[in-house]
Amino acid sequence: MDVDEGSSLDTIGDQSVPQHSRRCKAFHQFTQQSLPACKPVLTPKWVSSWRTTICEGLFLKMFFTVFGYLQVVEIVDRYDAECIPEAYKSNKMAYIKDNSIPKNCSQFLKVYKRMKAPIYIYYQLDNYYQNHRRYVKSKSEQQLLHGLGSNDTSSCKPQESNNGLPIVPCGLIAWSLFNDTFTFIRGKSELKVSRKNIAWKSDRDHKFGKHVYPFNFQNGTLIGGGKLEPSIPLSDQEDLIVWMRTAALPSFRKLYGRIEEDLDTDDVVVVKLMNNYNTYSFGGKKKLVLSTSSWLGGKNDFLGAAYVFAGSSCIFVSLVFLLLHTKIPGN
Amino acid sequence: MILYFVYKNVAFGLTLFYYELYTSFSGEVLYDDWYMTLFNVLLTSLPVISLGVLEQDVSSEVCLQFPSLYQQGQKNIYFSWSHIVGWILNGVLSSLVIFLANIYILSPAAFKEDGHVADLTHLGAITYTCIIWTVNCQIALIISHFTWIQHLFMWGSILLWYIFLFMYGALPPSYSQRGFRILVESLGLVPMYWLVTLLVVVVSLLPYFTHIAVQRLFYPMDDHVIQEMKYSGKDVVDDQMWQREQSNSKKMTQVGISARIDARIRYLKDNLHQKKASLYRSVSPIFRSLTSSPMFYF
């Protein structure tokens, strides 16, 4: 690195001021553009050393991430199409909107690799725009924290009140609460599923009131989703809390619960689910996901692939550079 | 500096447009309002200002010794159309890398070991962090004269983003909206957050890095040549070559305001001569014969 100290032009100005303070000198350096500086120059040596460092770093990261992801086991099962009875396959809307038709369904999941506890259960929705602007706006944070006492529920329209009475929790997000349920059976016994601590702690403690109870919820003519137990405060209604965290993309997963037992290879898990939620009217899809996790989270091939791509393209360009530089030396 | 400004705003703004593709064009914004407000005000403005004020591609004495460097401004070398389009494309590419990497890495699977999934708040914060890092590291690649001020502004801007995120998250949810406790609870200790940032910064800056490496190796500009000479100490070691280059750069030029003024003066002088000559010829036949001889023109 080339380091420039203050230039010799400094001394011309300094002669009139024999004793100058450090601040005066610093100000002088600043105004004369003679601050101490380093001027790195991108020589071929630096280019190749930077590239090598970057490539090595990328490759290391690549190995770590791929190694991490290889350990994650994920089972995805789409059930919304299969769970429609034969009679209603051509008229899904009638099926889903009719409360008298039983919505039970069974799915069989085969575990292809040993899954260690905790195994996370997610429900995945596709083509569901929870990130739509009007939808995201349609809730009242004040009301979620303070309940009936808050007046600021205008953003919740049209799900603000019903029959003159306010709705708690108001808004479209709460109104469209996901209400499919899942139970898991392996062999003869039911697997233990924990439905606690699935929401973010900051939400449970600070955004949803401990003394706020559902009121006048899903009482209207148009039912949008699940109902809430009126005796449980909102801070304990973890399904609601998880659902209210609007997803970023049209295809998203939300945490349903955790299986606290290991699943061995070739285990068959029978999922008894209730296919309550209507995704048929807009062409949405519902999937059930069972996944373990690593230090990086769930199964995501993209990160490993991205690092492989970046690392290998880096190496390739470095080799090309080396070749060109040895063939055509710089001036 | 201007082109960098264009670049950073293109890189930032386009991510917002790309996100609209995923929200069925409803107008939902990827970032919290305060993030967007602070982008141009606090988080990326200071390094640009330091670049404009303090940047020296060569030092002032060298500038005086090599007047031909001034032609870079006159010939509009650094602000040509190819430069403008190049920087805009760099911005587009950066925005694509930042956005797509975040979209595909953070969804739909969990991003934390405890199984939590990234939602709108996390995607926004992580994407924004990648933008801040990319844009500030990009300016680090542009600057060739690093003083403590530039370092303070660049790395300070990045640090300021984290400090802001921390303090914003500490406010009650009614004020901090999307940013409530996001750094301390969701992002700060999550390895994925830092890995994504690193990957995105490296990949988005690689094209520019390759470009400047190629340019310096095979198509160096005048100031690059001089920088390299100073860096390797050739001006001290090979004084003859240094002096020769200086005299080369002091040749008369055909561009620039002084050249244009000289040309104008010559043109006006010629005009004046011709007018005088035609005047004399019309007034007297003696002068007519005199002016027809080449000795008249002096």
Side-chain angles (χ1 to χ4, degrees), chain A residues 123-258:
Chain A
Y123 53 89
Q124 181 171 335
L125 290 164
D126 291 347
N127 200 30
Y128 195 115
Y129 286 84
Q130 249 202 347
N131 54 14
H132 194 286
R133 192 180 57 86
R134 282 296 278 115
Y135 183 90
V136 172
K137 210 173 96 155
S138 184
K139 68 174 182 232
S140 167
E141 265 134 26
Q142 280 296 315
Q143 196 201 57
L144 291 172
L145 200 53
H146 299 117
L148 284 164
S150 72
N151 303 334
D152 183 23
T153 56
S154 54
S155 54
C156 287
K157 285 190 169 71
Q159 287 298 320
E160 190 186 359
S161 60
N162 183 30
N163 293 333
L165 293 169
I167 301 173
V168 177
C170 71
L172 282 173
I173 310 181
W175 176 80
S176 59
L177 177 64
F178 187 77
N179 60 349
D180 284 5
T181 55
F182 310 97
T183 51
F184 299 85
I185 297 163
R186 176 179 55 173
K188 293 207 167 57
S189 58
E190 192 174 315
L191 290 170
K192 201 157 37 102
V193 175
S194 161
R195 307 283 322 276
K196 291 278 159 210
N197 292 333
I198 52 174
W200 291 96
K201 190 164 184 307
S202 59
D203 283 359
R204 286 201 309 271
D205 294 346
H206 300 275
K207 283 195 186 167
F208 290 79
K210 292 187 175 49
H211 305 288
V212 180
Y213 294 88
F215 177 74
N216 196 19
F217 187 68
Q218 294 286 16
N219 273 347
T221 45
L222 202 57
I223 307 281
K227 292 195 183 333
L228 289 174
E229 188 65 40
S231 57
I232 302 176
L234 289 189
S235 60
D236 290 336
Q237 305 255 19
E238 299 217 26
D239 283 331
L240 177 72
I241 299 174
V242 166
W243 182 254
M244 297 280 295
R245 272 264 186 183
T246 49
L249 298 173
S251 171
F252 60 89
R253 288 181 193 172
K254 285 194 184 289
L255 191 55
Y256 179 81
R258 275 185 292 274

Side-chain angles (χ1 to χ4, degrees), chain B residues 181-196:
Chain B
R181 302 265 171 106
I182 199 165
L183 190 65
V184 296
E185 187 188 24
S186 323
L187 299 179
L189 296 169
V190 174
M192 181 64 96
Y193 178 53
W194 304 99
L195 274 179
V196 170

Side-chain angles (χ1 to χ4, degrees), chain B residues 81-93:
Chain B
W81 272 111
S82 59
H83 267 85
I84 295 171
V85 170
W87 273 106
I88 291 175
L89 280 178
N90 191 13
V92 172
L93 195 68

Side-chain angles (χ1 to χ4, degrees), chain B residues 245-261:
Chain B
E245 292 298 332
Q246 282 185 41
S247 60
N248 274 349
S249 81
K250 285 177 183 158
K251 281 195 211 132
M252 290 275 292
T253 90
Q254 302 301 313
V255 299
I257 192 157
S258 42
R260 284 203 294 274
I261 291 173

